[in-house]
């Protein structure tokens, strides 16, 4: 069973801590069995805002986990506790995957885990992180960054995005989407999306693209172009691009490619269809095209993904 350890100490942000608890700490063996073994690790009773937590283990237990999550740090002007920094460093040196949520990146940076790596945190604190830790390549314009064994996220909603990304890595896209539906959150926002836009995002069903999205999802097997989408939305291609940037944080073509890859992941997990058939069903055209985009986006070839994440309820 994959053990997820939440490193807790006084002064952490309760939203990010709660997000991790909701994703990893709830018994979802009905969704994926085995689910995670979730533990809280700290030096003693912890005060988080108005809440009081009783850790299950000491900080030295972090090195025994498979994944360590460090929630947001409330006061970035204060140095994080030395024992927390040392425990996180020791866990990483022991081969544990370490992820920070929001300003938890300051803990990872203090431990030296981000030196020479690209990382992010809440957009309001990226300049401070970059100035304090010049060896870190701070990216203020993304939701989260995955460096393999070290991951960082921006604030609040992006923390949930990173938690679901970890579920996707461990259990596959279909399971992650099921967890997202349970939490009533978007099933997947790519880490490269902008974490802050100046134009407010409209309500989910009250924007110019509200009718376009479901129309596209029903036609992923077709060779859609930006012009096709613009025609359906009754606007120019340029205007379409502006609306896509506001609503999704990305371009029409990148959004369309992401939907095709997500659909391919689900088909690989839940069907026995050939890669050629999945390429046709997702509008990729050929298996070669699907393999190229899939490998670049997901990091592994479709066949490898299928062997790793074939659903227990799928075909043998």
């Amino acid at each position: 069973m994959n053990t997820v350890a939440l490193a807790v100490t006084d002064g952490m942000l309760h939203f990010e801590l709660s997000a991790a608890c909701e994703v990893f700490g709830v018994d979802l063996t009905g969704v994926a069995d085995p689910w995670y073994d979730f533990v809280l690790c700290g030096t003693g009773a912890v005060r988080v805002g108005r809440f009081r937590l009783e850790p299950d283990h000491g900080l030295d237990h972090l090195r025994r986990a498979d994944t360590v999550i460090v929630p947001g740090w409330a006061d970035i002007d204060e140095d994080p506790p030395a024992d927390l920094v040392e425990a996180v460093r020791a866990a990483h040196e022991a081969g544990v995957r370490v992820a920070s949520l929001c300003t938890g990146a300051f803990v990872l940076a203090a431990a030296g885990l981000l030196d020479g790596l690209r990382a992010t945190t809440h957009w309001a604190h990226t300049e401070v992180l970059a100035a304090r830790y010049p060896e870190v390549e701070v990216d203020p314009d993304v939701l989260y960054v995955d460096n393999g064994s070290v991951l960082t996220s921006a604030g609040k909603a992006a923390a949930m995005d990173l938690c679901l990304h970890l579920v996707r890595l461990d259990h596959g896209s279909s399971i992650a989407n099921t967890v997202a539906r349970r939490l009533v959150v978007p099933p997947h926002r790519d880490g490269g999306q902008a974490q802050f836009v100046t134009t407010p995002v409209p309500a989910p069903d009250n924007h110019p693209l509200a009718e376009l999205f479901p129309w596209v999802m029903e036609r992923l097997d077709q060779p859609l172009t930006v012009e096709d989408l613009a025609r359906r939305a009754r606007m120019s291609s340029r205007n379409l691009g502006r609306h896509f940037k506001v609503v999704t944080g990305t371009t029409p073509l990148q959004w369309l490619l992401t939907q095709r890859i997500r659909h391919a992941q689900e088909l690989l997990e839940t069907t026995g269809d050939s890669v050629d058939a999945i390429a046709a069903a997702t509008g990729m055209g050929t298996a070669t095209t699907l393999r190229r985009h899939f490998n670049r986006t997901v990091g592994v070839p479709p066949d490898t993904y299928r062997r790793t994440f074939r659903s227990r309820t799928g075909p043998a």
Side-chain angles (χ1 to χ4, degrees):
M1 181 179 291
N2 192 336
T3 299
V4 173
L6 193 63
V8 296
T9 187
D10 289 335
M12 289 191 160
L13 299 173
H14 60 270
F15 182 92
E16 288 77 3
L17 188 149
S18 299
C21 289
E22 278 296 319
V23 173
F24 305 106
V26 176
D27 184 5
L28 295 180
T29 51
V31 175
D33 190 9
W35 191 239
Y36 297 94
D37 179 20
F38 183 73
V39 296
L40 300 180
C41 297
T43 57
V46 173
R47 175 67 64 180
V48 180
R50 292 178 176 269
F51 305 100
R52 177 184 171 90
L53 299 177
E54 295 287 346
D56 304 300
H57 304 282
L59 288 172
D60 59 339
H61 193 80
L62 293 180
R63 68 176 68 194
R64 302 180 186 178
D66 298 290
T67 301
V68 165
I69 295 181
V70 182
W73 184 247
D75 190 350
I76 63 169
D77 292 328
E78 289 188 9
D79 291 332
D83 52 358
L84 172 64
V85 172
E86 178 55 37
V88 169
R89 182 188 298 117
H92 181 257
E93 291 175 350
V96 177
R97 179 175 63 181
V98 179
S100 66
L101 308 180
C102 192
T103 50
F106 282 83
V107 177
L108 271 59
L113 273 58
L114 302 181
D115 289 353
L117 297 179
R118 181 165 156 266
T120 195
T121 188
H122 191 290
W123 61 267
H125 305 299
T126 51
E127 291 185 3
V128 177
L129 182 65
R132 189 173 301 170
Y133 301 100
E135 296 301 316
V136 182
E137 181 186 345
V138 180
D139 189 338
D141 298 321
V142 295
L143 296 178
Y144 57 85
V145 177
D146 182 350
N147 289 299
S149 63
V150 179
L151 305 91
T152 55
S153 86
K156 305 304 178 186
M160 181 64 75
D161 290 319
L162 179 54
C163 289
L164 290 173
H165 175 67
L166 292 172
V167 173
R168 188 170 297 106
L169 291 174
D170 296 338
H171 294 285
S173 180
S174 180
I175 298 300
N177 290 345
T178 299
V179 176
R181 284 194 296 272
R182 173 187 167 273
L183 296 170
V184 198
V185 298
H188 179 257
R189 292 199 299 170
D190 182 74
Q193 291 187 31
Q195 61 170 287
F196 178 75
V197 291
T198 55
T199 306
V201 177
D205 297 321
N206 186 28
H207 60 79
L209 305 181
E211 296 182 3
L212 178 64
F213 289 160
W215 182 86
V216 172
M217 297 304 290
E218 294 174 358
R219 294 165 175 79
L220 289 178
D221 60 326
Q222 301 178 18
L224 299 172
T225 65
V226 173
E227 289 73 24
D228 294 329
L229 272 59
R231 190 178 306 112
R232 177 67 185 181
R234 300 183 183 87
M235 61 181 67
S236 68
S237 297
R238 185 174 181 179
N239 198 24
L240 179 77
R242 286 197 295 266
H243 283 296
F244 257 88
K245 190 66 175 177
V246 169
V247 176
T248 72
T250 189
T251 66
L253 282 180
Q254 185 57 51
W255 179 85
L256 181 58
L257 176 61
T258 298
Q259 308 317 307
R260 296 190 193 281
I261 294 297
R262 282 179 52 195
H263 189 35
Q265 287 177 299
E266 293 186 359
L267 292 175
L268 287 166
E269 294 174 34
T270 60
T271 77
D273 294 349
S274 67
V275 174
D276 287 285
I278 292 175
T282 57
M284 293 290 191
T286 67
T288 300
T289 301
L290 172 59
R291 287 191 173 96
R292 181 174 71 252
H293 287 295
F294 195 95
N295 198 14
R296 184 176 62 188
T297 303
V298 182
V300 295
D303 295 325
T304 301
Y305 184 90
R306 166 171 272 165
R307 287 194 298 270
T308 304
F309 294 118
R310 174 64 65 87
S311 171
R312 292 175 181 269
T313 60

